[in-house]
Amino acid sequence: MTTTESLDPVPVVDKDGVRLTVEDAVATVTLTLPAKRNAQSPALWRALAEAGASLPGTVRVVVVRGEGVSFSAGLDRQAFTPEGFEGEPSFSDLARLDDAGLDAAIAGYQSGFTWLRRNDLLSVAAVQGHAIGAGFQLALACDLRVAADDAQFAMRETSLGIVPDLAGSHPLVELVGYARALEICVTGRFVHGDEAERIGLANLVVPRAELDAAVGDLTAALLAAPRSAVIETKALLRGASARTYDEQRAAERAAQSRRLRDLAGLGD
């Protein structure tokens, strides 16, 4: 008699605090620096971007999680030292770049986050413990957030004399509105799990022990609908805030026309 052992999937990317694994239509991006509460660095951001670029075309859902007690406690404080990170430009070095160079550097950092909003993917952040600063923005980069009841969101950049610059400000305003977003950013206060659910930051809040199961249930539900319809729906909803009512109606008609032709086998 032979037995078959369940093996963990081989990582597609495993470097600089980021591990990407893929099982069929689901990819999991895990921050792997629990001793540092998954504090972030430019190297980690590059690894996130590499994870996005390495996804096979079969992936429909991406789950982002952090090992240990915290999702991510934000930017590694080493960034605020005079020397910064070894082999990376310090804050002083960045400040000395011309406008184009500084813009390009920050855009490179942002690329670790922006791929999570691609229309052909649905992304889910599984948040426990701290999600501060860059950690908060990583959760905001995802389409959906499932939080444990011990989750603590905070945007601390402004209190440190900088601004949120990892593509988190737009989704934050979309989710909670301008006034609430301004208050959260300027005060730097913690938003706990129950409030996060109430104001729309979290889609669901569950006991910490149930976080993995809740994310699994949501992932299964997201995979139930046909992929092409999901892609069209995400694109339709993402563009809604930039359109007038009549423009959105027209976008609905165009999207539905494509779907009906595809279903009838008349697509391009």
Side-chain angles (χ1 to χ4, degrees), residues 124-207:
V124 180
V127 182
Q128 81 282 3
H130 298 96
I132 300 174
F136 191 5
Q137 293 187 78
L138 181 58
L140 288 167
C142 295
D143 297 309
L144 306 170
R145 282 149 297 282
V146 179
D149 53 9
D150 67 347
Q152 301 179 66
F153 298 91
M155 200 73 84
R156 292 291 175 82
E157 284 83 353
T158 306
S159 60
L160 294 171
I162 55 178
V163 301
D165 67 340
L166 296 171
S169 59
H170 189 277
L172 181 61
V173 172
E174 279 191 327
L175 289 167
V176 304
Y178 160 74
R180 181 76 71 185
L182 179 65
E183 178 250 329
I184 288 170
C185 289
V186 174
T187 66
R189 70 175 178 88
F190 283 112
V191 178
H192 297 274
D194 55 349
E195 182 187 0
E197 186 173 27
R198 187 175 73 251
I199 66 177
L201 273 178
N203 296 83
L204 179 67
V205 174
V206 298

Side-chain angles (χ1 to χ4, degrees), residues 191-257:
V191 178
H192 297 274
D194 55 349
E195 182 187 0
E197 186 173 27
R198 187 175 73 251
I199 66 177
L201 273 178
N203 296 83
L204 179 67
V205 174
V206 298
R208 175 68 182 88
E210 298 176 14
L211 181 61
D212 290 346
V215 171
D217 289 344
L218 176 58
T219 298
L222 295 175
L223 291 171
R227 182 173 196 174
S228 53
V230 171
I231 292 171
E232 288 278 12
T233 299
K234 181 175 178 179
L236 190 64
L237 295 177
R238 281 192 62 200
S241 61
R243 301 186 188 106
T244 66
Y245 177 72
D246 287 339
E247 288 170 343
Q248 184 68 4
R249 288 173 54 234
E252 290 174 357
R253 295 193 300 271
Q256 193 69 300
S257 296

Side-chain angles (χ1 to χ4, degrees), residues 8-30:
D8 292 332
V10 176
V12 179
V13 173
D14 195 357
K15 61 191 295 187
D16 297 321
V18 173
R19 182 173 64 242
L20 168 67
T21 56
V22 177
E23 292 186 87
D24 299 323
V26 180
T28 301
V29 175
T30 305

Side-chain angles (χ1 to χ4, degrees), residues 32 37 61 67 73 78 96 98 106 140 177 191 193 206 215 265 268:
T32 60
R37 294 182 183 265
V61 175
E67 288 184 349
Q78 187 174 335
R96 292 185 177 92
D98 61 22
I106 297 173
L140 288 167
V191 178
V206 298
V215 171
D268 294 336

